[in-house]
Amino acid sequence: MSAAAVVGARSLRGHPLLRGVRRWWWGWGGWCRWLWALSAGSAAAAASPSAGPSSGSGALSPFDRRLKRKQKNWAALQAEPAKCEYLREEVGGRIVDRVFDITRTFPLALDVGSGRGYIAQHLTKETIEKLIQVDTAENALKNAVESEIPTVSVVADEEFLPFKEDTFDLVVSSLSLHWVNDLPRAFREIHQVLKPDGVFIGAMFGGDTLYELRCSLQLAELEREGGFSPHVSPFTAVSDLGHLLSRAGFNTLTVDTDEIQVNYPGLFEVMEDLQGMGESNCSWNRKPLLHRETMLAAAAIYREMYGNSDGSVPATFQIYYMIGWKFHESQARPAQIGSATVSFGDLAKIDVLLSRGKK
């Protein structure tokens, strides 16, 4: 039974079970915070371009990209792939809301890590004239959902975009960049293919994503096997995101966070839907299998620590939204220091100053 069956709808936009939440640690809080700190360390390292083994460009390679491609291809070929796409559709819609906030028409746009077109299905011809969809999984592109705008599909890696410099007016990306090995390079690639005064609008999972699942699995492993391995992939910290975008060349940055909570019947349904989304762990240091007793213990811990009164369990997805612009001479710039003609102390006299100006 998937989460889509629990909420009774493919899309969760506006559904009462889909809501912003504040994270609270229940029970065993000291253990969870300690385990979370250990896991967060690998996420911070993944965002750092200078530490650890090199992948050729100086960044860590925490993920098996070939395995991730297989996972996404497998998910796209399921009999009902849409039943697990509620979260991707929701975030794709929120990306499009940010596109609509920009009052202009984009002749050519690029969707990086498009999957089956979770952004394209919400776009209109009045906003986007043509969209290029890029993904590593060819099955996802072949089974893309319908869109009213013309689209072209290209199989390519997010870290190596096969387009000329200054090509696109808009680049969007939804829930894909958290799987790249070299995030700084991916941001540089996006910046390069944007035209001057072009804008990048993206979303990726944040560091608190699935903290309930992670803590439950780790505590169960400690109890049953005397140690634990990572079963949920590392994520970038929000404190690093603005710095990485700035280093890639973006300006006028906006970074904000949101949390989406989905209720499931239990731990096994959480993991089933993650697999259906193509979001199974593909870290090189993952543990391939967990013992049955460990999984049953994790399910019991999950329900005991985080369970709702109706018997369901929550899964929290933290989303980072980012907006960055490529520089152009026409863009507004901050005034030079000392150029102000009115001090903050005069703000209380604003009515008097305005009346003098009219005279």
Side-chain angles (χ1 to χ4, degrees), residues 1-330:
M1 183 178 181
S2 71
V6 177
V7 301
R10 283 177 51 191
S11 175
L12 298 186
R13 291 179 66 77
H15 197 280
L17 291 181
L18 183 69
R19 58 186 183 274
V21 297
R22 179 174 296 178
R23 175 164 57 88
W24 295 97
W25 296 106
W26 294 358
W28 297 356
W31 274 107
C32 280
R33 283 189 289 271
W34 175 70
L35 292 169
W36 195 252
L38 291 179
S39 301
S42 59
S48 172
S50 59
S54 173
S55 64
S57 59
L60 287 175
S61 298
F63 305 121
D64 183 345
R65 293 284 291 171
R66 288 192 296 179
L67 176 59
K68 176 49 58 183
R69 180 181 179 183
K70 290 180 181 179
Q71 291 172 349
K72 295 174 72 174
N73 274 325
W74 178 89
L77 289 180
Q78 297 310 295
E80 297 180 89
K83 76 173 187 177
C84 295
E85 293 177 350
Y86 45 87
L87 187 65
R88 294 189 180 277
E89 291 178 354
E90 171 67 23
V91 176
R94 296 187 184 188
I95 289 286
V96 172
D97 289 342
R98 287 163 168 79
V99 174
F100 289 161
D101 287 339
I102 303 173
T103 55
R104 67 167 70 171
T105 298
F106 300 96
L108 184 61
L110 173 68
D111 185 354
V112 177
S114 63
R116 296 197 331 112
Y118 313 106
I119 293 178
Q121 64 182 329
H122 299 289
L123 293 170
T124 64
K125 293 183 289 186
E126 291 75 23
T127 305
I128 308 292
E129 295 180 359
K130 186 176 182 180
L131 177 69
I132 309 297
Q133 295 178 305
V134 169
D135 202 281
T136 58
E138 60 274 13
N139 291 338
L141 295 172
K142 290 176 183 177
N143 293 283
V145 295
E146 293 185 2
S147 172
E148 69 174 63
I149 60 175
T151 59
V152 176
S153 298
V154 178
V155 178
D157 194 300
E158 295 93 335
E159 296 179 31
F160 305 95
L161 298 177
F163 305 105
K164 294 182 179 179
E165 188 175 356
D166 301 340
T167 299
F168 298 97
D169 306 279
L170 166 71
V171 176
V172 292
S173 180
S174 180
L175 302 186
S176 172
L177 292 176
H178 58 281
W179 288 120
V180 303
N181 279 320
D182 193 346
L183 189 57
R185 180 190 178 98
F187 284 153
R188 291 194 300 268
E189 288 280 307
I190 292 172
H191 183 270
Q192 181 173 323
V193 300
L194 271 174
K195 292 180 179 178
D197 201 32
V199 60
F200 166 57
I201 303 177
M204 60 189 295
F205 285 127
D208 281 351
T209 295
L210 297 175
Y211 71 88
E212 305 99 336
L213 175 63
R214 190 180 315 220
C215 285
S216 300
L217 288 170
Q218 290 173 342
L219 287 170
E221 268 195 294
L222 278 172
E223 179 190 357
R224 297 304 173 98
E225 303 180 28
F228 67 88
S229 301
H231 297 283
V232 180
S233 68
F235 299 104
T236 302
V238 68
S239 57
D240 296 323
L241 201 53
H243 178 62
L244 293 175
L245 288 166
S246 179
R247 282 180 46 188
F250 291 101
N251 58 28
T252 319
L253 298 174
T254 301
V255 177
D256 61 283
T257 67
D258 193 10
E259 288 188 351
I260 297 174
Q261 188 179 87
V262 184
N263 292 325
Y264 295 84
L267 175 143
F268 296 102
E269 288 77 13
V270 176
M271 299 184 74
E272 178 186 350
D273 272 20
L274 288 174
Q275 186 179 27
M277 296 178 201
E279 288 294 323
S280 299
N281 190 8
C282 69
S283 301
W284 285 108
N285 61 347
R286 69 191 182 281
K287 187 176 181 179
L289 295 173
L290 274 172
H291 296 107
R292 179 175 180 272
E293 293 77 10
T294 303
M295 291 296 295
L296 291 174
I301 292 171
Y302 202 139
R303 193 175 302 279
E304 177 66 24
M305 292 178 62
Y306 305 106
N308 298 316
S309 58
D310 62 358
S312 63
V313 297
T316 300
F317 299 88
Q318 184 181 45
I319 316 294
Y320 297 157
Y321 295 95
M322 62 202 106
I323 302 176
W325 294 79
K326 189 169 182 177
F327 175 76
H328 188 266
E329 291 291 340
S330 64

